[in-house]
Amino acid sequence: MSHPSAEETNYRVQMETSRWLIIDATMDNEVSVEVVEGDPGNVVDLGDSIRQAGWDQIPDWPRDLAGFKHWPAPGQTSTLTLSRPQWDLVISALEGWSAVTASLGDPENADQAEADRALVELVRTQLLEQGWTSR
């Protein structure tokens, strides 16, 4: 019996759906930058696959801008299953964009940077509980 490699292992993380929207937006930013810069590391495909996974796995994902007006419901949670490379990109992108946001120096951006760092810790904690190890 063969065991899946670390690359093939999937990990599940539960969070408030509103927090996944931060990840979705971060992936959108990451992909946009890589498209402009030439994407030497294949981030575009991986980032797009992360966004698609959220759209596929979260029930009732709105299909138009108007649908986001009252979605997600307060306190709604979702469990997302991604591969190790996908979660690695989520963490590195959140950390990178958090540093950019924090460097802007105003209180609103400082709050967003702190929220991003807290989201990284939430994700990392759940991954570690499943045997994920930092690279």
Side-chain angles (χ1 to χ4, degrees), residues 13-17 20 57-59 71 75-80:
V13 173
Q14 184 177 47
M15 66 186 71
E16 285 192 26
T17 305
W20 178 261
Q57 294 178 42
I58 296 176
W71 187 91
Q76 176 181 335
T77 61
S78 296
T79 301
L80 286 299

Side-chain angles (χ1 to χ4, degrees), residues 21 55 60-72:
L21 296 178
W55 303 335
D60 304 324
W61 188 279
R63 299 298 175 208
D64 58 30
L65 193 54
F68 284 97
K69 188 172 182 177
H70 299 290
W71 187 91

Side-chain angles (χ1 to χ4, degrees), residues 6-7 9-15 19-20 23-24 27 46-47 49-50 53-54 57 78-95 119-120 122-128 130 132-133 135:
E7 298 295 314
T9 301
N10 288 326
Y11 299 89
R12 296 169 54 96
V13 173
Q14 184 177 47
M15 66 186 71
R19 296 183 96 181
W20 178 261
I23 293 173
D24 183 75
M27 290 299 100
L46 193 56
S49 75
I50 293 165
Q57 294 178 42
S78 296
T79 301
L80 286 299
T81 302
L82 300 176
S83 68
R84 180 191 178 95
Q86 289 172 315
W87 283 120
D88 286 343
L89 180 58
V90 166
I91 289 170
S92 69
L94 283 170
E95 289 174 335
L119 182 51
V120 167
L122 173 97
V123 168
R124 189 174 273 136
T125 297
Q126 291 185 52
L127 294 174
L128 290 170
Q130 298 170 68
W132 179 86
T133 54
R135 291 186 177 182

Side-chain angles (χ1 to χ4, degrees), residues 9 36 48 82 97 103 114-115 119:
T9 301
V36 170
D48 284 343
L82 300 176
W97 285 101
S103 74
E114 183 57 36
L119 182 51

